[in-house]
Amino acid sequence: MSKKVLVLGEISNQKLRNVSFEAIGAARTIARDGEVLAVLLGNSVQAFADELIHYGADRVITVEHENLKHYTSDGYSQALLEIIDGENPEGIVFAHTALGKDLAPRIASKIDSGLVSDVTDIEVDGDNILFTRPIYSGKAFEKKIITDGISFVTIRPNNITAFEKSEARTGEIVPKQIEINNLRTIIKDIIQKKSEGVDLSEAKIVVAGGRGVKSKEGFDKLYEFADVLGAAVGASRGACDAGYCDYSLQIGQTGKVVTPDLYIAVGISGAIQHLAGMSNSKKIVAINKDADSNIFNVADYGIVGDLFEVLPKLTEEIRKIKVGV
Ligand SMILES: Cc1cc2nc3c(=O)[nH]c(=O)nc-3n(C[C@H](O)[C@H](O)[C@H](O)COP(=O)(O)OP(=O)(O)OC[C@H]3O[C@@H](n4cnc5c(N)ncnc54)[C@H](O)[C@@H]3O)c2cc1C
């Protein structure tokens, strides 16, 4: 049965997040031959609407308002609930990002809907759509079918294939006026930390350091290595607790969950709480001086050795390959 599926587009640092294109891909599967309706909220979002159409949206509703300049759950839910009320979508897809994790349960409860969160795969099985999601901190997966009501899901970044981009694809862009009031929080400004380069949760390659990296200076070497690879830098909680890097880099059960194409664990032992955040990465490489370290049980490739000897050599070799020397 074809459905109308609503997708929320997310803009970060003046760019649509990649996961928004993946969300359109997910919505196209759920919609079958139905309509994919994307929504953009903000105070200057019109310019991004075409790109959503190029990635597969049939129609884009844009809502611009000063009170939507920064994300607040009050402002976003007010706008979205009015759109949902008018459009009656049979499916809704958000990204499983900080924003999506905050907003989706709130919207689901307001519209009296269930929610399948953190979906990593979507399959069509006859009349059913199967949603796969990790459970028990990634140690198992469950498949869910939504039998009634709205198919409301959040998708984990880097797992669902985005719909093929075509600049020739056309669609309708509909600016909509919605009065956004009753905000309980007014965000005046967001002061961003110095950029740490590639966004960790969407990075295709992650280089993560653990307590074995031993110092902030050790992390500088890791940044150098990440830089030649075009990778984002992450960390174990051990490294964060030791003060070698910021907690925003923490990967694991109580940190970020990442699923890059390549995860390189450097001086990380592979505690279960760390594995919860990275074990679903497509390829895992571990560098550790202890051959019995648990990280080697999940690694596809392992280097047993002192990271302070291995990292400079790897950095140099990759640099040579990149410059073609
Ligand atoms: C409730 C709870 C939640 C938690 N959440 C998280 C979480 O989200 N993320 C997380 O990561 N942890 C989490 N932890 C902590 C987790 O249990 C581990 O303590 C932590 O992951 C260990 O970090 P580590 O691997 O860097 O350090 P260690 O376990 O100390 O391992 C360091 C590794 O470096 C290797 N090494 C040392 N020197 C070198 C060298 N010169 N060259 C190569 N290798 C070297 C060692 O062989 C060792 O394997 C949590 C714990 C609890 C209780």
Side-chain angles (χ1 to χ4, degrees), residues 209-214 235-239 241 250-256 266-275 287-290 293 295 305-308:
R211 206 154 18 209
V213 175
K214 293 199 168 66
S236 70
R237 178 156 143 191
D241 283 347
Q250 185 182 321
I251 291 167
Q253 189 181 318
T254 45
K256 293 196 168 90
V266 185
I268 293 178
S269 59
I272 191 83
Q273 296 89 355
H274 186 75
L275 301 188
I287 305 171
N288 198 303
K289 68 176 182 186
D290 175 6
S293 189
I295 194 74
D306 185 335
L307 69 92
F308 297 103

Side-chain angles (χ1 to χ4, degrees), residues 229-245:
L229 278 173
V233 172
S236 70
R237 178 156 143 191
C240 301
D241 283 347
Y244 305 159
C245 59

Side-chain angles (χ1 to χ4, degrees), residues 196-214:
E196 265 130 21
V198 187
D199 179 350
L200 189 52
S201 54
E202 290 195 318
K204 297 283 178 213
I205 308 176
V206 172
V207 174
R211 206 154 18 209
V213 175
K214 293 199 168 66

Side-chain angles (χ1 to χ4, degrees), residues 27 34 102 152 195 197 232 235 248-250 274 302:
D102 183 59
F152 193 171
S195 163
S248 61
L249 302 192
Q250 185 182 321
H274 186 75

